[in-house]
Every structure is written in structure tokens, then in C-alpha cells.
Amino acid sequence: MTTLARLLHPRHVAVFGGGWAANVVEQCRKMGFKGAVWPVHPTRETLGGVPCYRSIADLPEAPDAAFIGVNRHATLDVVAELARVGAGGAVCFASGFAEAEDGREAGAALQARLVAAAGDMAVLGPNCYGLINYLDGALLWPDQHGGTRAERGVAILGQSSNMLINMTMQARALPIAYCIAAGNQAQQDLASIALALVRDPRVSAIGLHIEGVRDVRGVEALAAAARDAGKPVVALKVGRSASAQAATISHTASISGGDAAGRAFLRRLGIALVDTLPEFLETLKFLHAVGPLPGRAIASVSCSGGEASLIADLAEGRALSFRPFTPEEKAGIAAALGPQVTVANPLDYHTFVWGDAAAMERAFTAVTTAGHDLTIFILDFPRPDRCDDASWQPAVEAICAAARAGGRAVAVAATLPEAMPEARAAALLAAGIAPMGGLAETLTAAEAAAHVAECRALPPP
């Protein structure tokens, strides 16, 4: 029976090939991988500064994980030998399989031979970079990436290695637990890989960048397991246009399928859908920070009428509600802000209390205790390289205190992503507050979080 456990959490890693394999050795070193790294090469003495073994038979034992960076025909031989000696799993980097232009029938046949050669040994790819386990520092990834070690975070899976590289370069303070490429999904598809991660208590949410679904029943099994484990799943599904569907076939040999049917299928399973990469990352961060929302009533707090109007317009047509404050709630907010402020939702509190931490805390707490499912504080920080943000600190402290008092989901949203510096975002995240870049993305995340909760409350589909 095929299992991904050893491949995802290896004690030792074998690498095959030249330059790409040397990159894996270097990236393992940079990640602080504690296990052994065994380069295998028939002629080189060292690879990435590590002595080489001449063959698989010379290795100290069957490796838990292997990165295979040789050509597609040699890949078949390496996979077969690794499977024979009982290796845990392999990443197949080579392209030229079912996605190849030089005769799809020949490429598909080669891919079928690869799967047969692997037998019960787990295989990622072919045509993929592999995996990064940021929790344990285990890496089979032949290129740079932007992530760091994490104690808890989201798992991001996709078929496109380049898209995954781009996502690791985010500066949004999103903690990533795993980044895994499935490539052509010859043996292991996105659903089966995610299913192996869903029980990891260190994974807070799962993100799927979907180009094509290979196994509908597998996606259903993933959704059921994620529901049981309380892990939200977010999907960015491509393939709306004919051009995108054609690109998907040439890129990973996947069929993206009818977009409307695919999206309806995913939503029915309780999977949250988004349309852009910024929405994808911000929604994952929101769910990591505060989890699903029990309802769709939101409140917005800002010191600018322009920001209040902007978020009100952006919420138009969405399945969210700016529930008005009750007379009692209005009275509590007005008592903290004074008679010059008109209390409404969205709330523009002006700058009369700016810098007065005690007054801001009273006002903000009056909002967070009003019972909305989510309170959004709009706060754009100044550029840290040119400006001093010290006068923003009282507002941050007041928001953190109000979040603790309210006991419900709180987000701090910048109108522009670059107005949420990564250091500020990380500090807010540590306080249990969702640090969001962009108002539209914040509202999309809130809708997604409410959808996840609503689906959990219904009988399983």
C-alpha cells in the first residue's frame, strides 16, 4: 500500500543527477535539515560539497526520500531500483512525459511505465520540483524559495512548480507548513497528497492551486477528512477560458474540465473558492489566524470616511452584512469617541482619539463586544524605510486589547498590501489577529470563512 509518510518526513534523502541535484543538497543545508543527504552519481566524487555514492546499492540503507534529477528515460531505471530496495518515495523532476509535445501517446506510455516501475513506492510528478516541509526542515526542492521554518502553518499544493515558488516569495507573514508540487499527478494527485497532511496538527489550513482534477472521489475523500479534522480547504481553480484549458493540457497533461461544474462541485464539498493569487494567500492567512466565521455580520472601523465608504462599496453584492449597531451599542461607542463622531457601521472614528491608547481601547472594545462575527480595523502603516510608525503603536495596542475583550474574529486590513509591513503582520498574527493586505481580499476571505463554517453545519454531502 502506497504511503507518503516517509517521503514527507524523511530521515535521509538521496539525490540523483548533476546541477539540479546539487541545488537540493544546498537547499537542504540552508533549511537546516538534520538528516543525512546522500548524493548518488556514477562518476563525480562530490556533489554540493558532499561525497557521492556510486550507486543505490552502495547507500547505507534504503532512503526515505529521493530527488531524481536525471533525464526521463534514466528516471524510470532509478525509480525501479529505488522501489526494489524499499525506498520511501521519490520526486521525479524530469519533464517529457504525458505533457510532452513530441507525441502525447509516447509521453503517456512513458508515464504509465513510470507508475508501474514505482509500484507501492510513493512518487511525486513527474515534471515537478517536489516538496518543502518547513515544519521539519526536510526539502527535496532544486531551486531557491522564499519560506522559512515554521512551527504551524498552511499547506500549499499545486501542479505548477513555478507558481509555488512565487507563492513562497510572499512577504505577507503567511506561515507555510508545506509547499508541494504534484506536476503531472501520475501517481499522487493533489487530493491524495493533501489527505496525507490533513491529520498533521501543525497544519492550520490547506490551499490547492488546481489546474485539473484527476480523481473526483479523491477530492470527496479529502473534503470529508478535512471536515472531520476541522481543517479549512481553499482552492484557486484555473481553467475558465478556453486558452487556460489548452495551457493546462500542455503544461501538466491535465484536463481542467468545465469551470462552472467544477466550481459547483468544490463548493458543495465545503471547499472555499477564490479567483486570484492575492485572494488565495490572504484567505489562507485569515483562516490560519481566526478560522471559519460563525456568521456573515461584519463591522468596519477606520479613522477615515474615505476608507469607510470604500469598504462599504466593496462589500456591495457580497454575502456579508454590515449589521447596524443597536442603540445600546451606539451609546457605548459614542461615550468613548465623543459627540463629534457619528456612530454607524462602517464606523469612521476620525482622529480625535488618535494617540490616546485608553480612549481608543474603550471605543474599539465597544465595537468588538457588539457581537459581529468579524470586526475589521482598517489601518495602513507608513513605509518603514522612510517613515516613523511609532504613533501607530497605540492603535495597535488598543486593537489587540479590544480583540481579547471581544473574543471574536478580528482583522487589521490595510487598503494596500504594501501598507501592511511583514514585521507588523507577523506581530498581529502572533496576537491572534488576521493581518490583511487589501480590503477586497479581506472581504473575500470573510466570505470564504463563513462558507466553510456553513458547510460544516450541514449534513455531509
Side-chain angles (χ1 to χ4, degrees):
M1 180 179 178
T2 302
T3 174
L4 286 163
R6 290 172 64 194
L7 178 60
L8 295 175
H9 309 100
R11 297 165 299 162
H12 25 64
V13 171
V15 297
F16 299 81
W20 292 107
N23 289 345
V24 174
V25 176
E26 175 63 18
Q27 292 303 324
C28 282
R29 183 182 297 115
K30 287 183 176 180
M31 277 289 288
F33 178 55
K34 300 298 184 183
V37 179
W38 300 326
V40 179
H41 199 281
T43 59
R44 290 194 183 189
E45 294 300 319
T46 64
L47 197 70
V50 180
C52 288
Y53 293 88
R54 289 288 173 251
S55 68
I56 294 172
D58 294 331
L59 293 175
E61 60 181 295
D64 284 340
F67 176 86
I68 305 174
V70 299
N71 69 59
R72 58 181 178 169
H73 297 288
T75 294
L76 296 179
D77 297 331
V78 175
V79 166
E81 179 64 11
L82 286 170
R84 188 188 67 79
V85 301
V91 168
C92 296
F93 175 73
S95 57
F97 288 86
E99 87 292 346
E101 288 290 348
D102 58 340
R104 294 201 184 281
E105 185 175 348
L110 201 64
Q111 186 161 302
R113 288 174 56 197
L114 174 68
V115 174
D120 289 337
M121 183 183 74
V123 167
L124 296 184
N127 185 30
C128 80
Y129 268 27
L131 69 95
I132 306 172
N133 174 345
Y134 286 112
L135 300 170
D136 305 313
L139 179 149
L140 288 92
W141 193 267
D143 206 341
Q144 297 186 84
H145 58 93
T148 60
R149 295 287 292 269
E151 294 182 359
R152 178 176 175 269
V154 304
I156 299 179
L157 289 68
Q159 292 174 253
S160 168
S161 302
N162 196 66
M163 292 288 287
L164 291 170
I165 290 176
N166 295 344
M167 284 187 263
T168 70
M169 300 297 175
Q170 54 85 27
R172 299 165 182 261
L174 171 65
I176 302 176
Y178 296 91
C179 178
I180 303 179
N184 288 8
Q185 305 185 101
Q187 182 203 72
Q188 300 293 322
D189 64 2
L190 295 179
S192 64
I193 299 168
L195 195 59
L197 303 175
V198 78
R199 298 295 180 187
D200 191 329
R202 302 169 296 174
V203 173
S204 55
I206 294 173
L208 305 176
H209 178 245
I210 300 175
E211 297 182 45
V213 173
R214 192 191 72 177
D215 180 8
V216 168
R217 296 304 179 205
V219 178
E220 290 179 331
L222 167 62
R227 177 190 179 113
D228 291 343
K231 300 291 174 67
V233 181
V234 180
L236 171 58
K237 181 186 177 297
V238 301
R240 289 189 178 187
S241 66
S243 297
Q245 293 181 20
T248 296
I249 294 172
S250 65
H251 170 49
T252 58
S254 297
I255 304 298
S256 62
D259 182 67
R263 293 171 72 85
F265 167 68
L266 295 172
R267 285 185 61 84
R268 181 179 66 84
L269 296 177
I271 295 174
L273 287 170
V274 296
D275 295 322
T276 68
L277 275 178
E279 290 176 348
F280 184 66
L281 295 176
E282 293 300 311
T283 299
L284 284 170
K285 182 169 55 176
F286 185 96
L287 288 165
H288 171 83
V290 301
L293 293 179
R296 296 178 179 268
I298 64 173
S300 169
V301 181
S302 65
C303 65
S304 163
E307 292 168 346
S309 298
L310 180 59
I311 195 167
D313 282 349
L314 289 170
E316 188 73 17
R318 294 179 181 266
L320 298 169
S321 169
F322 282 107
R323 178 182 65 74
F325 296 114
T326 66
E328 294 78 11
E329 292 164 353
K330 278 188 175 184
I333 298 169
L337 294 177
Q340 299 181 76
V341 175
T342 300
V343 177
N345 186 19
L347 173 65
D348 167 20
Y349 66 88
H350 298 269
T351 54
F352 300 118
V353 296
W354 184 258
D356 185 339
M360 297 176 88
E361 182 178 336
R362 288 194 300 271
F364 295 169
T365 299
V367 177
T368 59
T369 55
H372 294 84
D373 299 299
L374 170 67
T375 301
I376 303 168
F377 290 92
I378 302 176
L379 194 64
D380 284 62
F381 291 92
R383 291 178 58 132
D385 59 337
R386 298 178 183 174
C387 305
D388 182 359
D389 67 355
S391 61
W392 271 251
Q393 188 59 28
V396 172
E397 293 174 359
I399 291 169
C400 291
R404 291 192 296 269
R408 289 175 177 256
V410 169
V412 173
T415 59
L416 298 172
E418 56 268 33
M420 177 60 73
E422 190 169 18
R424 284 289 190 180
L428 289 166
L429 201 61
I433 294 170
M436 306 297 290
L439 298 187
E441 289 81 0
T442 303
L443 296 173
T444 295
E447 286 185 296
H451 171 73
V452 170
E454 288 168 354
C455 289
R456 286 183 183 175
L458 297 173

